[in-house]
Structures are given as structure tokens and as C-alpha cells.
Amino acid sequence: MVERFVVVPVDTVGMGPREREHPGTTEAHPAPDTGGSVGSGAGTAEEKEPLEDSVFEPQDPEAAVPILQYNREPNKYGDGVPKENSPFINNTEHDKNNSYDGTNMALFEEEMDSHPMVSSLLNKLANYTNLTQGAHEHEEADEEEGSKKKAVKSPQMGTFMGVYLPCLQNILGVILFLRLTWIVGTAGILESLGIVGLCCTCTMLTAISMSAIATNGVVPAGGSYYMISRSLGPEFGGAVGLCFYLGTTFAGAMYILGTIEILLTYIVPQAAIFKAERKEEEVDALFNNMRVYGTCCLILMAIVVFVGVKYVNKLALVFLACVILSILAIYAGVIKSIFEPPDFPVCMLGNRTLQNHGFDKCLKTEVIDNLTVTTKLWSAFCDGPELNATCNEYFANNNLTLVQGIPGLTSGVISENMWSEYGPLGMMVENKKLSSFGGSDPTKDIYLPYIVNDITTFFTLLVGIYFPSVTGIMAGSNRSGDLRDAQKSIPVGTILAIATTSFIYISSVILFGACIEGVLLRDKFGDSVKGNLVIGTLSWPSPWVIVIGSFFSCCGAGLQSLTGAPRLLQAIARDGIVPFLQVFGHGKANGEPTWALLLTAGICEIGILIASLDAVAPILSMFFLMCYLFVNLACAVQTLLRTPNWRPRFKYYHWTLSFLGMSLCLAIMFISSWYYAIVAMVIAGCIYKYIEYRGAEKEWGDGIRGLSLNAARYALIRLEDAPPHTKNWRPQVLVLLNLDSDQGVKHPRLLSLTTQLKAGKGLTIVGNVLQGTYLIKEAEAKKAEQNIKSAMSAERTKGFCHVVVSSNLRDGVSHLIQSAGLGGMKHNTVLMSWPGTWRQASDPLSWKNFIETVRETTAAHQALLVAKNVDSFPTNQDRLGEGTIDVWWVVHDGGLLMLLPFLLRQHKVWRKCKMRIFTVAQMDDNSIQMKKDLQMFLYHLRLDAEVEVVEMHDNDISAFTYEKTLVMEQRSQMLKQMHLSRTEREREIQSITDESRSSIRRKNQGATENSTVSRQSSTAEDNQEDEAQLIHDKNTASHVALNDKAEAGPEQVHMTWTKEKLFSERNRNREPNANVAVRDLFNMKPEWESLNQSNVRRMHTAVKLNEVVVNKSQGAHLVLLNMPGPPKNRGGDENYMEFLEVLLEGLNRVLLVRGGGREVITIYS
């Protein structure tokens, strides 16, 4: 099967040709697993028509392939790199739209877009190329933009050139040449071997873990950052990636400081700008010179990197040759020292080592022409050159001795160098074998040319200083894009490089201890051998081999750090996981990270201003150790989780090795510098929390997500064993949201209330039901889910979204209440808004659905919260002032009424509100005792609240209550006629009106009462049917006034008629006697006996309780009230809604609470 592709450039980001013609059209649901754009109507006849700007081959227009288009918009399920989101190795989005010809597989042709042929997959495997990404690619970028592409050569580097030598070059460096001899002399051979063994074991275990990760699939160029971020997720990846970046940047500072130290100490000491006039000023002068020359060197190197990295790449081989030649010179010098040790004498005064700068002869006096004259050394310790001058007491009492600095391999000096010689700052470097007589004065000794410790030395400090010499093991994985077979080369090359360098370090420790005198080993800067590099004194043929070699080695390492660090920062910035770093993702036209280079140079300057190699080394050790720690953690997590995708080709790994490597990294961090370790961990933790809080959402299939899944599964199984104890009960909320016709959230304040109630704790599920079938409503369901998630993000509601498509809303809500959640993490509370338009709804299902929801939550033993006037509730940005949260505790249903105000007051919106609890006392209750008992109960509950007992007397049922009941029953009868035909409905309405008129009699013929009849014509929004609806309206003032009288006239009543009835009434009203007849309709007192007495009693309760609540709590910020249950007889459902309306009338923010049938608050600890 031949696949032909015609590629047309897509110049509009994220749009194909058809979309450019109609930019307003959006695709219904992009395929989330590929980042592509697959419309919901794929495969329809309309989409199969040729596009206007498609390109066809003239030879065979029948077999033309439509334009290849793919979405460049970043995928929220990945990082925008199609390779990572596809199961195919060399996937591109446009491969999916290739046409399919043939009849052999016609059964599968409709699924060919998502399930390609096996032959197509094998073809991708055969043509796989992993292009180089990074500096080399940027330098060779095409100068011309357009369709012209250079032929890309396949990567040809093997294990030796691609991994082994780069790792060798990065591992061997400044510490080996400048500090290893000093470490051996200070720590002794045994402890030095311990330091080297500890650090090399750490890097070897890390390399094993890294090899497992690197061989678990294709690793694009990006090295350690790519591996960690894709294994542990964007939070860990970003935190560790930035730590690795900082480590690489400070490594650049360390290499530059090493370069300047070699330059000013060993090559051209006379170039120093700052010169010390006194000995105690030497350290400050050295640091100032390091700062000035280091800054100049940094600027020069940054310019070289900016101008062109290709020059750095071309010089890399030269730098590598310098390193190898220097090491060979060391081994050659060791072998030569067996037969002919080099002559580097060290002058000792007593057992103290002297600086050999200002004198040539290690003598106090010498005889010239039979005259005894003093030497330059005499002048350094005495007042003058005269023989009778006053001299330092220690100088006068002790003899001068010449000790051979390099006694040779067979001299036996190894036994003397076996043990450590730690000491404080300013301690003199001494040879314990030599005799020494007293007379020293520490206050004067600091001005004399002795070799002293420039820093306080101890074991843990040396670990931190030495560790940078074993870093650089990531060099091979960083070049994975250049390798012919990365999965084979990275493990072999890296482990061989670590084994080689470990052998070099261990052998160097032993050979240095066996060949060099201890006092010379502890002489950090070689002052006792005329300022020669100590390791250079051992080399053959000349010390300059090591000096020049180490100088160029440090230069090369510094340039490579300044090259690699900006690209690492650019990769992190382009991933989009750290928003404030996005500016550093931009650069020159060819991709060079200009801004990242500037930031890198700025951070590097901080290290240079520290000016001390020994102070900078532990800093970068921390950042590298953090990186290595998480590489080991990534491997251990993936191995223990046994995820199906964890199939490394490198088999010689185990989770125990990774865990041991991780433990070693952590131990070395705290061993070398506990305060730097804490700082590094705090930095990484802050970056982690920042990415988690503000960063872009990424799904990389990381191991932490798998770990979370396993932990969640384990916890869910544990939670399933038993229901939570009352002490652990908290509202796990299912929020039932309503959406408008555009799938937008109608009441976002419901989410605000959820956030304030939960404060980020517990389970929150936000649910919605769409009416229809899932196959048709799939696109709307996804859009609704996205809109709900956006609203949750805006309101800072942490939880899950669940959109259900059901044939009817009632079943959908029922399914949510029954099945939302999983195992022990199921909701126990349902939160919904009050159906405010239930009276005006053309479909009575709104209030029926509400009542059925109340019944189902009761049957499921779940609590129910209903928010009335939810749009007036405060947002998360509001801060309510002094006010109250009033709780009306009418019946006890588990204590949820007391718990909710406490939870709300934890949030800053409600924090200043006080809690008041009202309870209702009947005639035979002792109000005083009730108040005392309630106060004691709240005291034991540890709740602070004001308590008030409200007495409700058994008053006679008022006329207002009867009229309320009458109008309610009339409306109920009218609603029953909604399903009748128009003629029957009119007849029924007429009969109801006539019956009402006949049942009314006058009480006072001469009384003048305010009553009006307004007749309106209402038509449904869809103009399908006319409604007959009787709506009763009243205001609070008339409510209170009517209750003060035993009997009162009726209030204003609005009646809604059908059109025909309206016209007939108008004609009747034109007659002279008609006005009296119409007024008589509502000026009558009803026959109380004809009403349902149960409804009258319920209405009486609602009216009286509403009167009391309005009187006490009308000014409260929030009123919480027991929600009465619906009637058991479903025939009175519409009356139940009227009761609730009367109960809540005149109140602003109300939360109706219905308990779930279990205690949720306890007085016990």
C-alpha cells in the first residue's frame, strides 16, 4: 500500500484551510490523546468534498490526498510535542488523514484514522530518525524560510565518541587538578578513599537508574530534565530542572574561578591588579583579583557563546585532548618518580613549612668570601640583615631543613600520609617527624611566611568540595539526539566513563599519597615550591603540561556550562510549566536562547563574586545532588509501580539500588553542608508549589501520577471497610449545577459557597445533567465539562466534574446521587439552588424534579443543602463585615445545622461573622431551662454562639392563613388541568371560578376594602400553549399588618387567564353591573370547612415561623433553617413548594438544611 502525502503550509495557527475561510467555526471536540483536530462530524459527506484550496496531483486527481492539517495549539493533555502524545515513534499529526484505498480491509476503513494499518506502523519504525536538538541544530538552521529543507543526516555517533568521551571530559576537571592533592593531604589516604568511594558510588547508582529511564523508550534531546519531568511529572520536573540549571550555572562560575586561579597563581602572577602589602591581606587581594578577572572572563565567554556555539563545539576536542594529556602526564610522572624523583625541595623551619617566594636558599646565614652574611630568609624573621639583629624567637631556636617534596613512589611516604590532618583557619602546615622547639607567638606568626590553612578543614567540608569532580554523568544523555543507538550507547558509555574516572580518582589518591610529601600535599597553592601547581610537580615532562592542560580544560568546561545552561532554561520555559520563565523561551532567529544566556551570565556572576572555589563547590554540589536524587527516585517509583509502559532495555537495575542511590544523595547533601542542603530543598519546594499553584496543566504519564493512583486505590479500599466515625465526618459535597443554553454555568456563586464551606478539604463533585443521548450530546457534554472546570478554577473550587447525559433530567440527577464518587470517597451531602422560577415554568417538571431530588437524598441517607437567592451570596473575594450567621434549629436531624456555620467561619469571607442559634419553644416548654441546656450543649461542642429561645404560642389560625391555603388549593387544581385540551381547560377554569364565587359570602356590606383584579394574558416562550395560572403575591408589610388583626381583607391577587376567557371578561366588565360582580369574587371570606385542614395547619406553621424568623434574622448575613420534608402523599407536592415559599418569604440569603439521618457532630474528643 503506497501512502502519498501532499503537504500545504498552514499559516494560521491551529486552523486548517476550511477554518481560515470560516474563522468563527470551532471544532467540537479535539482528540485529547494526540493534540490533533478531529471534528465530531468526521466522515460525513460534507467533509469529504474537495476543499477549495486543496492541492491535487495532476496525474491522478482521483487519488488526491486532502490537505494535511494539524493543530499547533498546545495540548492540555501533553506538552505540545506530538511525539510524546502518540503511541508511534515518529508520529506526525498529518499521518492520520491519509486516504485509504482497497477492499481487503474495508471492514476497518472507518476506524483507519485512529487505528492505522500495521504496515503503516512498521513503515514509521523503519523510517525513524531522531533529529539533533540543541546548539548544533540552531547553528545549522536554514537561512531561508519556506518549503526548502536541507537533507537531514541520520545521527551517526557511537558509544565512544557520543557518550564515553563527553562524560569523561565533563567528569574530569578543575577539582582533580587544583584540589585533589590538598584533599589527600588534609583527609589522609584512607578518608580520601572514603570520600571518593562515597561520591563515585552515588554517581554509579545514579547512572544505573538513569540508564533504566533512558532506555525506557525514545529519549528526545533534553537529557536529565526531560527524563525527570516525564517520569515524575511537571512539578518535580520543573523543580529539579531548575535546580539542575542552577547547578550547571554555578558549575560555570566554578570553572571560571578555576581558570582565573590557574592564570593568576601559576601562569602570570604579576598580572594581579590587587597586591598584598602584608601577609594577612593576601586572601582579600586574591579574592578581589578573582572577582575582576572572573567577571572579564565571564563576559568574554558569554560573547563567544552568543556569537556562535559552533566554535565551542569545534574546540571541544582540543579541550578533551588537554584533559587526557594532563592525566597521562601525571601517570608518567609517577612512573618516573620510581627511578628519578623530581627535585622540588621544601624549606622547613623546625617542623613548620615556609613559603618559598622571597628567597632562594633555605639558610639563615651563608659564607661568601670567608664572610658570614645573612640571607633573605633572615631578613623575613629578624629586624634587619645584621647578625646581631633581634630575631623571632622560634626562628632563633629552630634549624632550617630541606625536605624533598616529591620523594617518589618507593620512598615509603605513603605510611605518613595515611591519616588526616584537619585543623582550624590559620593553623600552620607542619611535619610531625621534625623536631620543634618552643617560642612561637601566634599574634606575630600571622605576619611571617608560614604555610597556613586558609579555611577551617573537616571531613564533611571536603566531601562538598570534592563532589563536583564526579558530576557530569548526564553529558551522554544530553546528547541523546546525536546517537546512533541511544538506548544502547547511554548505559554502556556512561557506566564505562564513571568506572574509568573512578579508577583515575582512586589511583590518584593512592599515588599522590605515595609520591608526595604530606606538607606539600597540604600546601593548597604550592607556595612552598615557588608557586608551582602541586600536581604539576609530579607530572612529566614538565609542570607546565598540567598547568596549560588544566587551564584549557577549565576554559572548555566553563564554555560548555554557559552553552548548556541557557538551553536547559529555554527547554523549561518552552514547556510552559513555569509561567514567569516564558520570556526566556525566546531567542535569536535561529533559536539561540539570548535572554536565557543573559540570566545565566547574571547568576554566574553571583558565583564569581563569591570568589572562592571552595565556597562555590558545595553550592553546586547541592543542586546536582538534588537532580541525582530525583533521578533515583524516578527509577524507584517506576519500578515499584510496575506500570505497563515501564519496559527498560537496560535490565541491570533494581529498586533497591535506586533507593540506595537516593539515600546516598540525601546523606551527602547533609554531610557536606546541612544549611546549603536545606536552602536547596526549600528552593526546590517553592518551585514545586509554584508550578502546582500557577503552572500550566500537563499530562506526561509521569510516575507520581501512577503513585497517586496506587495510593488512592489503597486508601479507597481502606475507606470501604467501615463508614467514617462521627469525629471524622465532614461534608463531602455533590453540587448540582444548572447550565444555560450555551452550556454556561448559571449560578457560579454556588461554587463560591462550596469553596467557602470546604476550604479545600474533603471531596467535592460538581455534577450536571444534559437531556438527550450520549452519542448525540457528546460534544455538548465535553463543552459543558470544560465550562464547569473553568468556573471551578475561577471560583477556586477543588474537586471533580461529572457531566451525565440522560434521556430525562430526573433520571440523570438520580444517577448522579446514586453513583457519583467511588468506594469510600462518595458524597454524603447534596448542594443545589432553589428553583426560583418554578411558578413561571412552562413545564411543571422543574418543581417535580426538585421534590424528587429531596426524596432521593433522604432515601440515600444524604444531607441536603438548598441555597435560596444564591446569586446574592458573597464571592470568594468579598469580606463580610460584622454580622451574624443565624441558625434556626427547629428539629434535630444530626447536628449539621451547628456544624455548617463553624465550617463557613473558617473561611476568610465569613470569619468576622458571629453565630447565633435560635430554637423554638412551645407553650408547655420551659424556655429558661431550654436556653441553659442549649448553652451547655454548645459549650461541650466547643462552639461559640449566642443562644436565644423563641416562644411560639398557639394562636388562632388567621384569615390570612386561610386565604393563603385557598389560593394555593385553587392553583393546585389549575395545575392539574395543564394536560387537558384547551376547551376542557377553559371549562374547568370556569367551574373553579364559579365554585369559588358561590362559596364566598360577605361579612360587611358597607365596609370599604382595597381589592383589585388585574387580568393578564400570558403566553409561553415557545408559543405552544396558553397557561392558566393563579399567582398570589404579597409583601412583608401587609403580612405583618394582617396578622395583627383577627380578620382582614384579602390582599392583591393576580389571576392569569386564557385568551378567550380574557376577552369574555372584558366584555362582561363593560356592562354596568359587571364591576360589582367581579369585585365580589375576591371580597368574600372563604368557607373554612371546605379546605383541607392538614394544608391549613401546615400553612399556619409556615406563616408563623416565617414571621418569627423575619422579625429576628432579616438583617443576618445568612440564615440556616431546617428544611421540612416533602409529603408522603405525592398528590400534595405542589402545595409543599408553596409552604416553602411562604416559609422563606422576606429573607435574603437562606440555606435550607436537611440532615442525612446520622449524627455528624459530637461532644466527645
Side-chain angles (χ1 to χ4, degrees):
M1 174 180 173
V2 178
E3 298 181 351
R4 291 199 309 237
F5 298 90
V6 182
V7 181
V8 174
V10 180
D11 54 357
T12 305
V13 176
M15 292 188 179
R18 183 183 293 271
E19 293 172 286
R20 291 199 301 273
E21 295 175 32
H22 311 286
T25 348
T26 56
E27 292 171 340
H29 45 100
D33 55 340
T34 61
S37 313
V38 182
S40 59
T44 61
E46 186 179 25
E47 292 190 358
K48 290 182 180 178
E49 295 176 5
L51 302 174
E52 291 180 11
D53 50 353
S54 297
V55 176
F56 297 93
E57 297 182 17
Q59 293 88 350
D60 188 9
E62 297 275 328
V65 184
I67 184 170
L68 299 182
Q69 48 184 305
Y70 54 93
N71 196 345
R72 298 178 187 268
E73 183 180 351
N75 193 322
K76 76 183 186 70
Y77 295 96
D79 64 348
V81 181
K83 289 184 180 180
E84 297 174 32
N85 306 324
S86 170
F88 308 121
I89 291 180
N90 199 20
N91 176 65
T92 51
E93 289 304 321
H94 54 260
D95 289 349
K96 291 190 170 186
N97 291 338
N98 56 328
S99 63
Y100 171 74
D101 264 345
T103 56
N104 292 336
M105 292 294 168
L107 187 61
F108 300 96
E109 64 183 356
E110 291 186 355
E111 297 182 342
M112 206 60 69
D113 285 345
S114 56
H115 300 77
M117 296 287 294
V118 174
S119 58
S120 176
L121 171 63
L122 295 177
N123 187 38
K124 293 183 193 348
L125 288 170
N127 294 331
Y128 164 68
T129 58
N130 188 1
L131 303 182
T132 305
Q133 299 177 10
H136 186 64
E137 181 185 17
H138 293 323
E139 284 299 324
E140 296 185 355
D142 300 336
E143 295 180 359
E144 299 178 7
E145 295 182 4
S147 59
K148 294 182 180 180
K149 298 291 178 183
K150 289 186 179 179
V152 181
K153 296 181 180 179
S154 298
Q156 294 299 323
M157 280 192 173
T159 303
F160 185 76
M161 290 294 294
V163 180
Y164 180 76
L165 289 181
C167 284
L168 209 65
Q169 180 181 0
N170 279 266
I171 295 172
L172 300 171
V174 62
I175 301 296
L176 169 65
F177 299 122
L178 296 183
R179 292 291 183 270
L180 189 58
T181 53
W182 174 73
I183 290 172
V184 173
T186 305
I189 294 175
L190 291 180
E191 291 187 26
S192 297
L193 288 175
I195 294 172
V196 173
L198 185 69
C199 296
C200 290
T201 303
C202 176
T203 54
M204 180 62 80
L205 293 173
T206 304
I208 291 172
S209 300
M210 184 193 71
S211 299
I213 298 172
T215 58
N216 185 51
V218 177
V219 179
S224 58
Y225 164 69
Y226 181 92
M227 290 189 294
I228 295 170
S229 61
R230 270 55 175 182
S231 298
L232 293 180
E235 293 88 0
F236 279 111
V240 180
L242 285 174
C243 282
F244 191 52
Y245 163 74
L246 291 173
T248 308
T249 305
F250 275 103
M254 183 187 72
Y255 291 130
I256 292 174
L257 289 174
T259 303
I260 302 305
E261 183 177 314
I262 294 170
L263 181 70
L264 294 180
T265 308
Y266 308 113
I267 300 178
V268 280
Q270 61 273 18
I273 299 174
F274 299 91
K275 299 184 184 295
E277 296 180 358
R278 294 182 294 176
K279 182 175 180 294
E280 63 270 20
E281 297 175 353
E282 288 179 354
V283 175
D284 293 335
L286 175 64
F287 285 173
N288 288 332
N289 286 319
M290 299 277 274
R291 292 184 181 106
V292 173
Y293 279 96
T295 303
C296 296
C297 184
L298 172 63
I299 294 172
L300 186 63
M301 287 185 176
I303 291 173
V304 170
V305 172
F306 178 78
V307 168
V309 181
K310 58 184 177 182
Y311 303 113
V312 180
N313 291 336
K314 289 177 180 178
L315 290 173
L317 199 59
V318 176
F319 299 142
L320 176 62
C322 291
V323 173
I324 295 174
L325 286 175
S326 299
I327 292 172
L328 292 177
I330 293 170
Y331 283 111
V334 169
I335 295 171
K336 183 176 180 294
S337 71
I338 300 174
F339 313 105
E340 185 183 348
D343 183 27
F344 284 98
V346 177
C347 185
M348 308 289 296
L349 176 63
N351 63 356
R352 299 178 182 179
T353 313
L354 297 179
Q355 292 182 357
N356 192 356
H357 284 307
F359 59 92
D360 297 325
K361 298 177 181 178
C362 186
L363 297 170
K364 293 182 181 180
T365 59
E366 60 178 340
V367 178
I368 301 177
D369 298 333
N370 295 323
L371 292 175
T372 303
V373 295
T374 58
T375 61
K376 293 181 180 179
L377 192 56
W378 178 281
S379 301
F381 285 88
C382 301
D383 294 342
E386 299 83 11
L387 288 172
N388 60 353
T390 304
C391 294
N392 178 268
E393 185 180 355
Y394 188 84
F395 179 75
N397 294 338
N398 291 274
N399 296 322
L400 290 169
T401 313
L402 271 178
V403 175
Q404 191 55 251
I406 312 292
L409 188 62
T410 57
S411 63
V413 75
I414 187 171
S415 59
E416 301 171 10
N417 294 330
M418 198 66 70
W419 312 108
S420 61
E421 291 283 348
Y422 301 119
L425 172 67
M427 187 189 82
M428 298 182 188
V429 176
E430 299 175 342
N431 188 337
K432 302 297 184 183
K433 292 190 306 178
L434 299 178
S435 58
S436 174
F437 301 99
S440 64
D441 184 1
T443 58
K444 295 181 180 179
D445 289 344
I446 60 173
Y447 303 107
L448 299 175
Y450 292 122
I451 304 291
V452 296
N453 286 353
D454 63 331
I455 57 173
T456 301
T457 54
F458 43 90
F459 177 79
T460 57
L461 173 74
L462 299 186
V463 174
I465 292 175
Y466 172 76
F467 189 81
S469 66
V470 296
T471 60
I473 62 173
M474 300 289 186
S477 61
N478 289 344
R479 299 166 65 97
S480 57
D482 298 328
L483 301 175
R484 188 185 306 115
D485 185 358
Q487 297 194 11
K488 177 183 176 183
S489 297
I490 289 176
V492 175
T494 305
I495 292 174
L496 279 179
I498 293 175
T500 304
T501 52
S502 298
F503 170 77
I504 291 172
Y505 284 129
I506 291 172
S507 62
S508 295
V509 167
I510 297 172
L511 294 176
F512 292 164
C515 296
I516 305 175
E517 179 63 41
V519 291
L520 181 56
L521 285 173
R522 293 195 294 279
D523 182 6
K524 183 185 290 186
F525 301 107
D527 291 324
S528 60
V529 287
K530 297 186 180 296
N532 278 301
L533 183 61
V534 175
I535 196 173
T537 60
L538 181 62
S539 63
W540 180 88
S542 167
W544 285 101
V545 175
I546 296 288
V547 172
I548 301 301
S550 60
F551 176 79
F552 283 111
S553 170
C554 291
C555 281
L559 281 171
Q560 287 183 341
S561 296
L562 288 179
T563 304
R567 276 159 188 79
L568 179 59
L569 181 63
Q570 187 182 44
I572 298 171
R574 286 184 172 176
D575 261 346
I577 57 175
V578 185
F580 71 83
L581 289 180
Q582 288 183 354
V583 65
F584 299 108
H586 307 295
K588 292 196 296 186
N590 62 350
E592 284 296 316
T594 308
W595 294 108
L597 178 61
L598 288 175
L599 180 66
T600 303
I603 298 174
C604 198
E605 177 65 17
I606 296 173
I608 289 172
L609 292 177
I610 295 174
S612 172
L613 187 69
D614 303 320
V616 173
I619 297 176
L620 67 99
S621 295
M622 292 306 119
F623 292 122
F624 278 118
L625 281 165
M626 285 285 292
C627 179
Y628 296 165
L629 184 148
F630 282 101
V631 169
N632 285 293
L633 175 64
C635 182
V637 166
Q638 297 277 27
T639 306
L640 288 174
L641 289 179
R642 297 178 182 176
T643 51
N645 192 51
W646 180 247
R647 302 184 301 274
R649 288 191 176 276
F650 180 77
K651 301 298 181 184
Y652 305 102
Y653 70 94
H654 196 266
W655 69 268
T656 53
L657 295 177
S658 300
F659 188 78
L660 179 61
M662 184 177 67
S663 305
L664 272 179
C665 290
L666 194 62
I668 294 173
M669 285 177 68
F670 282 92
I671 283 174
S672 57
S673 178
W674 63 268
Y675 44 89
Y676 279 153
I678 292 175
V679 170
M681 295 174 79
V682 166
I683 291 174
C686 291
I687 297 169
Y688 177 93
K689 294 306 292 182
Y690 177 81
I691 295 173
E692 184 182 52
Y693 181 68
R694 293 291 303 275
E697 293 183 4
K698 298 286 181 181
E699 174 51 62
W700 286 331
D702 51 87
I704 293 297
R705 193 172 181 84
L707 186 64
S708 302
L709 185 63
N710 270 14
R713 182 185 61 85
Y714 174 77
L716 285 172
I717 292 174
R718 288 289 304 273
L719 284 173
E720 188 77 11
D721 296 341
H725 192 273
T726 302
K727 289 184 288 187
N728 296 327
W729 193 95
R730 66 166 60 247
Q732 318 282 7
V733 183
L734 169 64
V735 185
L736 297 179
L737 273 188
N738 293 326
L739 303 181
D740 55 26
S741 57
D742 294 330
Q743 310 305 329
V745 177
K746 274 188 179 178
H747 304 295
R749 298 288 177 89
L750 206 59
L751 296 175
S752 303
L753 177 62
T754 307
T755 304
Q756 295 156 20
L757 184 64
K758 304 289 293 177
K761 304 294 191 298
L763 174 70
T764 301
I765 303 173
V766 181
N768 175 255
V769 179
L770 295 180
Q771 191 167 355
T773 59
Y774 184 70
L775 293 178
I776 298 175
K777 296 279 187 178
E778 179 196 3
E780 289 185 30
K782 288 184 178 179
K783 181 182 177 183
E785 187 171 346
Q786 288 302 316
N787 291 345
I788 292 175
K789 285 182 178 179
S790 299
M792 290 173 67
S793 177
E795 299 296 337
R796 297 183 181 179
T797 304
K798 296 182 179 179
F800 308 99
C801 176
H802 196 175
V803 176
V804 172
V805 181
S806 178
S807 57
N808 61 74
L809 297 178
R810 174 70 252 129
D811 290 345
V813 173
S814 177
H815 294 157
L816 275 176
I817 292 175
Q818 293 177 60
S819 61
L822 180 65
M825 282 296 285
K826 292 183 70 69
H827 62 278
N828 54 30
T829 306
V830 176
L831 173 62
M832 60 190 301
S833 60
W834 173 261
T837 58
W838 68 275
R839 281 172 167 165
Q840 286 79 27
S842 59
D843 188 355
L845 288 180
S846 61
W847 57 267
K848 286 187 178 180
N849 288 344
F850 174 79
I851 296 175
E852 288 303 311
T853 302
V854 176
R855 286 197 174 101
E856 287 190 356
T857 54
T858 304
H861 301 290
Q862 295 173 4
L864 177 65
L865 309 178
V866 179
K868 179 81 182 294
N869 299 328
V870 68
D871 291 329
S872 67
F873 276 62
T875 65
N876 292 325
Q877 287 72 38
D878 293 339
R879 300 291 180 268
L880 297 180
E882 299 292 335
T884 60
I885 300 176
D886 288 359
V887 177
W888 284 85
W889 192 21
V890 182
V891 296
H892 179 67
D893 54 359
L896 184 58
L897 270 172
M898 264 81 72
L899 189 61
L900 289 176
F902 170 76
L903 295 175
L904 283 173
R905 290 176 63 203
Q906 306 302 306
H907 198 275
K908 47 194 171 186
V909 172
W910 304 90
R911 191 161 292 159
K912 293 184 180 179
C913 296
K914 293 181 180 179
M915 178 178 167
R916 294 194 303 180
I917 295 185
F918 298 90
T919 189
V920 178
Q922 302 299 326
M923 281 295 293
D924 52 351
D925 292 330
N926 186 340
S927 302
I928 299 175
Q929 188 61 39
M930 279 182 66
K931 185 172 183 178
K932 289 182 179 178
D933 293 342
L934 185 54
Q935 286 174 337
M936 182 59 65
F937 181 58
L938 292 176
Y939 174 77
H940 287 304
L941 288 176
R942 290 92 63 202
L943 294 176
D944 297 324
E946 297 179 13
V947 175
E948 187 171 343
V949 177
V950 179
E951 295 182 353
M952 285 184 62
H953 301 292
D954 289 334
N955 293 341
D956 292 336
I957 299 174
S958 64
F960 171 74
T961 302
Y962 279 104
E963 295 210 13
K964 271 282 191 185
T965 312
L966 173 64
V967 176
M968 178 186 72
E969 290 193 353
Q970 287 179 346
R971 183 182 183 280
S972 176
Q973 291 183 45
M974 286 184 179
L975 288 174
K976 291 177 182 177
Q977 311 307 318
M978 297 300 290
H979 300 291
L980 300 175
S981 66
R982 177 177 298 178
T983 308
E984 292 173 330
R985 189 184 311 159
E986 291 175 2
R987 190 184 305 118
E988 184 69 21
I989 291 172
Q990 184 62 43
S991 66
I992 291 172
T993 307
D994 294 342
E995 184 181 346
S996 299
R997 185 183 289 111
S998 65
S999 66
I1000 295 177
R1001 68 172 183 270
R1002 300 189 183 195
K1003 181 181 178 185
N1004 261 329
Q1005 294 287 344
T1008 305
E1009 301 174 335
N1010 295 325
S1011 65
T1012 59
V1013 177
S1014 64
R1015 294 170 296 266
Q1016 302 174 356
S1017 171
S1018 85
T1019 308
E1021 290 180 5
D1022 54 359
N1023 295 324
Q1024 292 178 355
E1025 288 185 354
D1026 297 318
E1027 285 185 353
Q1029 201 175 37
L1030 183 63
I1031 302 173
H1032 177 269
D1033 243 347
K1034 80 170 187 65
N1035 54 39
T1036 307
S1038 62
H1039 173 193
V1040 177
L1042 285 169
N1043 278 282
D1044 290 338
K1045 300 178 182 180
E1047 292 175 338
E1051 300 167 340
Q1052 185 178 13
V1053 177
H1054 299 275
M1055 299 190 67
T1056 304
W1057 307 85
T1058 59
K1059 287 181 180 179
E1060 293 82 1
K1061 190 65 180 173
L1062 175 67
F1063 295 146
S1064 64
E1065 282 298 320
R1066 281 181 178 172
N1067 293 331
R1068 290 178 55 195
N1069 288 344
R1070 292 192 181 99
E1071 301 174 5
N1073 296 328
N1075 292 331
V1076 178
V1078 175
R1079 284 199 302 271
D1080 290 347
L1081 177 63
F1082 297 108
N1083 281 337
M1084 309 300 176
K1085 184 177 178 182
E1087 287 289 350
W1088 296 347
E1089 293 79 4
S1090 67
L1091 297 174
N1092 187 323
Q1093 292 303 309
S1094 173
N1095 287 343
V1096 173
R1097 288 196 308 273
R1098 291 169 187 264
M1099 184 63 76
H1100 176 69
T1101 302
V1103 169
K1104 295 298 292 181
L1105 188 56
N1106 173 263
E1107 178 184 349
V1108 174
V1109 174
V1110 169
N1111 186 33
K1112 296 285 185 181
S1113 301
Q1114 193 167 21
H1117 285 318
L1118 179 65
V1119 177
L1120 283 84
L1121 188 64
N1122 282 114
M1123 182 179 184
K1128 295 181 180 178
N1129 179 16
R1130 296 176 184 270
D1133 283 356
E1134 63 273 13
N1135 297 338
Y1136 172 68
M1137 298 295 291
E1138 288 284 359
F1139 294 145
L1140 292 182
E1141 281 282 6
V1142 172
L1143 180 62
L1144 304 179
E1145 202 162 5
L1147 298 172
N1148 183 20
R1149 300 185 189 123
V1150 185
L1151 193 62
L1152 288 173
V1153 181
R1154 185 163 174 78
R1158 62 161 293 172
E1159 292 293 333
V1160 300
I1161 193 167
T1162 177
I1163 64 174
Y1164 298 104
S1165 61

